[in-house]
Amino acid sequence: VVSLHRLSGESRRRSGLSRRLARAAAGVGETLELTLFPSRCKVCRAWLETPGAKVVCGACLSALAPERAPFCPCCGAFFDGAGEPHYCGACLETPPPFSRHRSLGRYRGPLKEIVLLFKFRGYAVLGRALAEAICAGLGREDGLWWGEPILIPVPLHPRRERERGYNQCSLLALELAKRSGLEAAEGILVRARSAPPQSTLEAAARARNI
């Protein structure tokens, strides 16, 4: 048991070092691109002329403002039209195994493009803008931050994290922790199998995949 524990600890240390090196390499590549090549917004292709602007222009970042449409307080689904938050039919009929879910906005337009850049294109720096938008839009929402919540990022499978260079959920959780004063606890969840990416599946297949 002692030998297995020591081997496991060494594996964790090596895995942690690999993740740090991968993040550092991603950051160096990102910096070189921004320094050596003319910078255009990766969403609308406008020139980044504002001092300090990186990857995405201010106009596209302003699209990270929270959705103001009514929503389901349980699953977070947005409704069309005006009105107050109310439970959707699906949550009333079959309550999900969680009490509350919220989204900053609908997955479309500049918000979708920024999420894809952050998640798949190596622009880890966008985690700061996303965290700022979440805290500004949802940071004071009643019932969302009650008690003593802990931010627990969903892990990537080690193989996929090596390919991507970082876990976007971990970066976002750390940025949220800096701004909210909450604890970001990594290592609580473990990805036990390498499943197909959710982005490649339809809704029903996504549920089965999880």
Side-chain angles (χ1 to χ4, degrees):
V1 172
V2 172
S3 297
L4 287 173
H5 177 75
R6 286 176 177 170
L7 285 173
S8 177
E10 180 64 23
S11 297
R12 284 196 297 271
R13 285 191 292 273
R14 290 178 179 174
S15 177
L17 178 59
S18 297
R19 286 195 297 271
R20 290 193 294 274
L21 290 174
R23 290 174 184 173
V28 169
E30 182 180 292
T31 301
L32 285 174
E33 178 184 356
L34 294 173
T35 303
L36 299 178
F37 299 97
S39 296
R40 287 181 178 269
C41 174
K42 299 297 182 182
V43 176
C44 71
R45 304 304 299 166
W47 291 105
L48 297 179
E49 298 177 342
T50 304
K54 294 182 179 180
V55 186
V56 178
C57 68
C60 289
L61 286 177
S62 66
L64 296 179
E67 176 76 46
R68 296 303 182 187
F71 58 90
C72 173
C74 185
C75 72
F78 293 108
F79 304 117
D80 293 326
E84 298 296 322
H86 57 278
Y87 285 87
C88 67
C91 288
L92 288 173
E93 182 177 349
T94 307
F98 52 83
S99 60
R100 192 173 181 88
H101 175 276
R102 289 290 280 118
S103 300
L104 180 66
R106 301 176 196 251
Y107 188 59
R108 65 189 185 191
L111 174 58
K112 176 181 178 180
E113 296 302 318
I114 290 171
V115 169
L116 292 176
L117 287 169
F118 173 56
K119 187 174 181 180
F120 296 116
R121 297 282 302 280
Y123 293 105
V125 69
L126 292 175
R128 302 169 198 163
L130 288 167
E132 289 172 359
I134 291 171
C135 287
L138 305 177
R140 297 181 179 275
E141 186 170 305
D142 292 339
L144 186 60
W145 307 95
W146 55 268
E148 297 182 2
I150 298 176
L151 301 171
I152 303 178
V154 176
L156 288 174
H157 187 270
R159 178 180 61 79
R160 187 162 298 148
E161 185 167 347
R162 287 194 297 270
E163 294 172 353
R164 190 173 297 176
Y166 58 91
N167 177 5
Q168 76 284 346
C169 290
S170 295
L171 293 183
L172 187 56
L174 292 172
E175 292 292 343
L176 284 170
K178 293 177 186 177
R179 291 159 176 78
S180 64
L182 300 176
E183 177 187 357
E186 298 189 80
I188 302 297
L189 301 177
V190 176
R191 180 78 69 174
R193 66 187 181 93
S194 181
Q198 291 287 81
S199 59
T200 64
L201 306 174
E202 298 295 334
R206 290 187 182 196
R208 292 193 298 270
N209 192 43
I210 294 175

Coordinates of all heavy atoms in Angstrom, one line a residue, residues 193 198 201-210:
R193 N -12.6 8.2 -18.0 CA -12.5 7.6 -19.3 C -12.5 8.7 -20.3 O -12.9 9.8 -20.1 CB -13.7 6.7 -19.6 CG -15.1 7.4 -19.6 CD -16.2 6.4 -19.7 NE -17.5 7.1 -19.8 CZ -18.1 7.5 -20.9 NH1 -17.6 7.2 -22.1 NH2 -19.3 8.1 -20.9
Q198 N -18.2 16.5 -26.3 CA -19.6 16.8 -26.3 C -20.0 17.7 -27.5 O -21.1 17.6 -28.0 CB -20.0 17.6 -25.0 CG -20.0 16.7 -23.8 CD -21.1 15.8 -23.6 OE1 -21.1 14.7 -24.3 NE2 -22.1 16.2 -22.9
L201 N -21.6 16.0 -30.6 CA -22.8 15.1 -30.4 C -24.0 16.0 -30.4 O -24.0 17.1 -30.0 CB -22.6 14.3 -29.1 CG -21.4 13.5 -28.9 CD1 -21.4 12.9 -27.5 CD2 -21.3 12.4 -30.0
E202 N -25.1 15.3 -30.8 CA -26.5 15.9 -30.6 C -26.9 15.9 -29.1 O -26.3 15.2 -28.3 CB -27.5 15.2 -31.5 CG -27.1 15.3 -33.0 CD -27.2 16.7 -33.5 OE1 -28.0 17.5 -32.9 OE2 -26.5 17.0 -34.5
A203 N -28.0 16.5 -28.8 CA -28.4 16.7 -27.4 C -28.6 15.3 -26.7 O -28.1 15.1 -25.6 CB -29.7 17.5 -27.4
A204 N -29.4 14.4 -27.3 CA -29.6 13.1 -26.7 C -28.3 12.3 -26.5 O -28.1 11.7 -25.5 CB -30.6 12.3 -27.5
A205 N -27.4 12.4 -27.5 CA -26.2 11.7 -27.4 C -25.3 12.3 -26.3 O -24.5 11.6 -25.7 CB -25.4 11.7 -28.7
R206 N -25.4 13.6 -26.1 CA -24.6 14.3 -25.1 C -25.0 13.7 -23.7 O -24.2 13.5 -22.8 CB -24.8 15.8 -25.1 CG -24.2 16.5 -26.3 CD -24.3 18.0 -26.2 NE -23.8 18.6 -27.4 CZ -23.5 19.9 -27.4 NH1 -23.7 20.7 -26.4 NH2 -23.0 20.4 -28.5
A207 N -26.3 13.6 -23.5 CA -26.8 13.1 -22.2 C -26.3 11.6 -22.0 O -25.8 11.3 -20.8 CB -28.3 13.1 -22.1
R208 N -26.3 10.8 -23.0 CA -25.8 9.4 -22.8 C -24.3 9.4 -22.6 O -23.7 8.6 -21.9 CB -26.2 8.6 -24.1 CG -27.6 8.3 -24.2 CD -27.9 7.2 -25.3 NE -27.4 7.6 -26.6 CZ -28.1 8.3 -27.5 NH1 -29.4 8.6 -27.2 NH2 -27.6 8.6 -28.7
N209 N -23.6 10.3 -23.3 CA -22.1 10.4 -23.2 C -21.7 10.7 -21.8 O -20.7 10.2 -21.3 CB -21.6 11.5 -24.1 CG -20.1 11.4 -24.3 OD1 -19.5 10.3 -24.5 ND2 -19.5 12.6 -24.4
I210 N -22.4 11.6 -21.1 CA -22.0 12.0 -19.7 C -22.4 10.8 -18.8 O -21.6 10.5 -17.9 CB -22.8 13.2 -19.2 CG1 -22.3 14.4 -20.0 CG2 -22.6 13.5 -17.8 CD1 -23.1 15.7 -19.8

